[in-house]
Amino acid sequence: MLKTFSITDIGKKRKLNQDFVYTSEQPVGSLPNLFIVADGMGGHNAGDYASKVTVETIVEKITVSTETERTHILEEAIVAANTLIRTKARESADLEGMGTTVVVATCEGNRLCVANVGDSRLYVANRKAIRQITKDHSWVAEMVRRGGLGKEEARNHPDRNIITRAIGADDTVKVDFFTVQLKEGDLILMCTDGLTNMLEDEEIRMILDGARDMVEKAEELVAAANERGGRDNISVILIDPLA
């Protein structure tokens, strides 16, 4: 039986929390469980509207999906959310240009299925290592992959918030999928960049390893990001899949 805990925090600098998290340890449609993190963008209330509507649409579409393959279920739902966000943005000047990242995960036993658009992340961590499963769809991440920027430069680059893929950015959306075989002792971390822009991966791993339980782990991650300046909203989902 898996154990989970989620938390979202406005941070120290923002007036609105545009992140949205969803967790269900129970089946959703034909999926055994469902976890989603979204980080909205856009002026006024557009960012929090985009993240909330995207997550709600994904959950709704998964609930009624007749697909059987998990990647197909997730893709169908994410594409539907993208179409809706594009439509809503065209209908209202206040919502024009809105978008959101999204990371979606479901796991059964030791098999984890992940879908990703944007620069929110999913990691698998244990006592020895932390591994980023998703690939950031951002300008600086593309530069790092091409060898044009070092990882440390990328962390502090003024353009680090420019993302190259998002829900609502275009009429079509390309979704990345990952399948992970989990081992005993692995912990899944899903989070927005309000955490990862403030803390190094190894710092995250040490906090996860040092805290006593799921609640303390999540709360200490948020506290550490805020201590570093809390420049953005911070959202965390922790999943212990083999608890």
Side-chain angles (χ1 to χ4, degrees), residues 133-198:
I133 303 301
T134 53
K135 290 180 181 172
D136 295 351
H137 302 137
S138 69
W139 183 83
V140 294
E142 300 285 352
M143 292 298 290
V144 169
R145 285 194 281 272
R146 291 177 191 168
L149 267 184
K151 279 197 170 183
E152 191 52 44
E153 285 178 284
R155 278 178 58 77
N156 300 300
H157 199 281
D159 295 330
R160 67 186 174 277
N161 292 325
I162 297 175
I163 61 174
T164 54
R165 237 188 270 180
I167 303 295
D170 294 296
D171 286 338
T172 58
V173 62
K174 187 173 186 296
V175 186
D176 283 356
F177 294 98
F178 308 88
T179 302
V180 184
Q181 292 297 121
L182 300 165
K183 302 188 298 291
E184 195 71 41
D186 282 347
L187 189 67
I188 300 159
L189 164 66
M190 300 169 70
C191 61
T192 55
D193 66 351
L195 180 74
T196 53
N197 282 340
M198 298 290 103

Side-chain angles (χ1 to χ4, degrees), residues 8-9 24 52-53 59 68 70 73 90 98 100 113 116 120 126 142 146 151 157 159 167 180 187 202 212 222 224 232:
T8 185
D9 187 88
S24 175
K52 181 175 186 288
V53 169
V59 173
T68 52
R70 284 180 188 173
I73 294 168
R90 279 193 290 266
M98 70 174 170
T100 184
C113 182
N116 178 56
S120 295
N126 55 42
E142 300 285 352
R146 291 177 191 168
K151 279 197 170 183
H157 199 281
D159 295 330
I167 303 295
V180 184
L187 189 67
E202 182 58 19
R212 288 170 301 180
V222 170
D232 202 350

Side-chain angles (χ1 to χ4, degrees), residues 21-59:
V21 299
Y22 172 90
T23 66
S24 175
E25 296 177 14
Q26 304 306 313
V28 178
S30 60
L31 299 182
N33 43 59
L34 185 63
F35 307 95
I36 312 173
V37 169
D39 180 357
M41 65 206 82
H44 307 295
N45 296 323
D48 58 328
Y49 180 87
S51 59
K52 181 175 186 288
V53 169
T54 292
V55 172
E56 288 174 348
T57 304
I58 290 170
V59 173

Side-chain angles (χ1 to χ4, degrees), residues 223-242:
N226 276 325
E227 281 165 20
R228 289 286 171 84
R231 290 196 302 262
D232 202 350
N233 311 142
I234 309 148
S235 294
V236 168
I237 297 176
L238 288 175
I239 307 160
D240 186 345
L242 304 171

